Amino acid sequence: MNEIIKAIEEQQLKKEVPDIHVGDTVKVYGKIKEGNRERIQVFEGVVLKVQGGGSRATFTVRKTSNGVGVEKTWPVHSPNVERVELVRKGKVRRAKLNYLRNRVGKKAKVKELVK
């Protein structure tokens, strides 16, 4: 039974997986259905956490919209995620940036990684 599930999950995996890490600022191009129409909406923010593996891998992106913090969790291999574009790399020392939820303004920024 386990081998059958693995075979089905391997078919669902995307060929090109985005190379994103915690602290990166990304643009997620997500498909949105409105009635019978389908369009692409961009969600740009900081990656708070990356978790899971294989077909169940997800990443959470946080942005502030009109002064309100908005978080969305996206499955990496979802057909509703068209592509993930890396805007800038972040310099962080943690695996999950949950402390950003309590911060506002300049304190909520993540330093850019310069090489």
Side-chain angles (χ1 to χ4, degrees):
M1 187 67 176
N2 196 11
E3 297 170 8
I4 298 169
I5 294 172
K6 283 184 181 179
I8 293 171
E9 285 181 350
E10 286 177 9
Q11 294 172 358
Q12 305 297 324
L13 297 179
K14 287 185 178 178
K15 303 290 185 251
E16 296 180 15
V17 178
D19 186 31
I20 56 172
H21 301 285
V22 175
D24 294 348
T25 302
V26 294
K27 285 184 182 178
V28 182
Y29 293 82
K31 293 180 185 174
I32 295 196
K33 293 181 181 175
E34 294 175 336
N36 56 358
R37 295 179 359 154
E38 190 174 279
R39 66 182 180 88
I40 295 173
Q41 188 173 33
V42 180
F43 190 89
E44 182 176 355
V46 178
V47 178
L48 288 188
K49 60 184 173 181
V50 178
Q51 62 188 40
S55 65
R56 296 179 189 90
T58 61
F59 61 99
T60 302
V61 181
R62 180 179 176 86
K63 74 172 184 176
T64 51
S65 178
N66 297 325
V68 179
V70 179
E71 290 183 16
K72 273 192 178 181
T73 302
W74 302 89
V76 174
H77 299 284
S78 171
N80 291 331
V81 176
E82 188 169 293
R83 70 177 198 258
V84 179
E85 186 178 301
L86 183 67
V87 177
R88 69 172 164 250
K89 300 286 271 180
K91 181 182 178 186
V92 294
R93 298 174 66 178
R94 304 201 179 283
K96 295 194 167 82
L97 304 180
N98 293 326
Y99 66 89
L100 288 180
R101 293 177 177 150
N102 301 327
R103 300 198 176 174
V104 180
K106 287 186 177 180
K107 293 178 186 176
K109 283 188 178 179
V110 175
K111 290 185 181 179
E112 187 171 358
L113 180 66
V114 180
K115 287 189 176 182

